[in-house]
Amino acid sequence: MSFLDTSTCSRTWLPVLGLLQDDPYQSRNTIACARTAHCARLFRESEYVRHLGDGAIFSVSLYRHPDHLFAVKRAKTDGGRGEGGGKQNPAKNVIVALREIQVISNQVLQDHSNIIRIIGWDWDNLGAPVLFTDFAEQGTLRDFLRRNPNTGMAQRHNFALDVACGLNALHMADVAHGDVKLANTLVFPKVNQPGQWTVKVSDFSHSIFGISSRRVTTYPGTGLYNAPEVRSRDALIPSDRLPRCEAFSFGLLAWEILKNGESYFDLQWISSQPTTGGSSAIHVFLSNLRKDELLKLAHKFLLSRFDSNSRYNLVSFSRIFDMSLKDNPSFRKDIQSIAITLDYCDRYYVQ
């Protein structure tokens, strides 16, 4: 018997749901929380407003229920083409969707101010899972920074702290995010604080349960943002080292916060190299970097932003780069240490 309400579930997905239930690395309350978050009839009682976008796994739309707007993620099950042009795997998409449901219906994470809030989930008319979350009108942090290039350093610092706190909450719940980057963070207005913003970590479709189990696993992620030891998608790593991998990705995310949401990777770095085509050229470049070269490049960028007004404000980012962008994972700090450092700098340096 699946942890889901099989009476409303298409029988097509029952074997898939069984695989999720049998995952030995879930915490004991994972299934219970996911069951509690199931809201029967939520989908059919909601009103479609407009389409928001498509990814490889999900189609995202805006719905109203009854008078509030929610973002609704629906797993693609039509067998069409995914974001990269490859053919979709409907069963895989359903597994991914239900994994995300299990992560953000965790009661501890639901109460965290830097984790996207789940309203509930249901089955659509075709028996595919749909996930209702808060609607981020401002979009991703990348979108926000590109629209607001004059965002102050204090706000940028707070954005980095928000993301670090969200990731730390995940790690404390024994879950790795699986794909840390700006595109997987959302900006929301602070309650009763006009003009103030907070960031919430989102998109848990690649999350990994049981990181403390010390089993051998791969890290999905996005190659451009992955730590050196997991840039190869088939690289194996002990699961308890995943938080250090995500610390490296966080360092790159912090770098992009300073770059107004633009990629940390400067295409001029490979302009003198033979053209081998987009991402492959970038991969070759990253694979051939000298020890801690990205850390040095991050500091070089940071120094280019120093002036009499921002010198102290940038102290926190300098420290974060030192804590996160070391090639050797043993020399990196965990996200909790990074969050504490950001909080300390907020009290004593950031103006």
Side-chain angles (χ1 to χ4, degrees):
M1 188 74 171
S2 168
F3 71 88
L4 301 173
D5 181 359
T6 55
S7 65
T8 61
C9 169
S10 168
R11 294 183 178 274
T12 305
W13 308 119
L14 293 185
V16 171
L17 306 183
L19 291 175
L20 282 172
Q21 184 179 9
D22 293 337
D23 185 346
Y25 303 110
Q26 297 172 341
S27 63
R28 291 188 175 183
N29 69 348
T30 297
I31 293 174
C33 288
R35 183 190 294 116
T36 301
H38 179 217
C39 301
R41 303 184 64 85
L42 176 62
F43 179 75
R44 69 186 67 180
E45 293 175 357
S46 299
E47 177 187 1
Y48 173 83
V49 178
R50 70 175 188 270
H51 183 66
L52 295 176
D54 285 285
I57 306 295
F58 294 102
S59 174
V60 186
S61 300
L62 188 64
Y63 277 75
R64 182 179 289 107
H65 179 87
D67 56 355
H68 294 280
L69 294 175
F70 301 111
V72 177
K73 300 175 68 173
R74 183 195 309 222
K76 293 182 176 180
T77 59
D78 57 9
R81 295 289 172 179
E83 196 173 47
K87 190 172 182 180
Q88 293 176 6
N89 182 335
K92 178 182 177 182
N93 290 359
V94 170
I95 288 178
V96 166
L98 294 173
R99 182 185 299 119
E100 179 155 359
I101 288 170
Q102 290 177 83
V103 172
I104 61 177
S105 59
N106 179 296
Q107 192 60 53
V108 174
L109 299 179
Q110 265 292 281
D111 295 333
H112 199 281
S113 60
N114 300 120
I115 299 289
I116 185 71
R117 184 170 68 102
I118 185 176
I119 309 304
W121 68 271
D122 197 8
W123 303 99
D124 69 8
N125 297 330
L126 299 177
V130 289
L131 176 63
F132 284 68
T133 67
D134 284 331
F135 171 52
E137 187 175 354
Q138 294 293 326
T140 68
L141 181 52
R142 182 183 297 283
D143 296 333
F144 181 91
L145 291 169
R146 286 176 173 174
R147 289 195 310 270
N148 300 278
N150 295 323
T151 299
M153 283 301 301
Q155 181 65 81
R156 294 172 192 267
H157 174 275
N158 288 337
F159 284 157
L161 178 57
D162 286 346
V163 177
C165 289
L167 291 175
N168 181 56
L170 276 174
H171 295 170
M172 295 297 289
D174 210 26
V175 178
H177 182 275
D179 194 14
V180 176
K181 57 186 179 182
L182 280 183
N184 290 334
T185 59
L186 296 171
V187 179
F188 291 86
K190 287 189 174 181
V191 178
N192 298 323
Q193 297 184 50
Q196 298 295 311
W197 310 97
T198 189
V199 173
K200 300 187 179 187
V201 179
S202 65
D203 196 341
F204 304 97
S205 54
H206 294 94
S207 294
I208 303 169
F209 292 107
I211 57 179
S212 64
S213 62
R214 298 186 179 182
R215 72 186 191 281
V216 175
T217 184
T218 57
Y219 185 81
T222 301
L224 183 63
Y225 298 99
N226 282 357
E229 64 271 24
V230 290
R231 283 196 185 117
S232 172
R233 296 296 294 271
D234 58 355
L236 296 175
I237 184 173
S239 59
D240 60 333
R241 305 295 286 183
L242 293 178
R244 301 298 175 100
C245 294
E246 303 209 315
F248 190 95
S249 301
F250 175 82
L252 298 178
L253 179 148
W255 189 349
E256 294 189 346
I257 288 177
L258 292 177
K259 291 192 69 175
N260 296 326
E262 299 302 325
S263 174
Y264 77 89
F265 194 95
D266 189 339
L267 291 178
Q268 292 184 358
W269 296 344
I270 59 174
S271 61
S272 61
Q273 297 184 2
T275 302
T276 57
S279 60
S280 60
I282 294 174
H283 177 75
V284 170
F285 176 85
L286 291 174
S287 299
N288 293 327
L289 283 175
R290 291 171 293 182
K291 181 180 178 181
D292 293 337
E293 186 66 19
L294 279 183
L295 172 60
K296 296 172 185 176
L297 289 169
H299 276 299
K300 182 179 179 180
F301 168 80
L302 197 60
L303 288 171
S304 72
R305 294 295 178 97
F306 271 95
D307 57 44
S308 59
N309 295 321
S310 64
R311 182 169 181 266
Y312 292 105
N313 286 337
L314 292 172
V315 167
S316 58
F317 285 95
S318 177
R319 292 187 176 182
I320 294 317
F321 291 157
D322 285 333
M323 298 173 75
S324 61
L325 293 179
K326 299 285 181 63
D327 284 356
N328 188 331
S330 298
F331 295 154
R332 295 181 213 137
K333 301 297 184 181
D334 57 30
I335 291 292
Q336 183 177 50
S337 298
I338 290 173
I340 291 172
T341 298
L342 282 165
D343 184 56
Y344 174 86
C345 290
D346 182 44
R347 297 170 188 270
Y348 294 99
Y349 290 101
V350 177
Q351 301 172 352

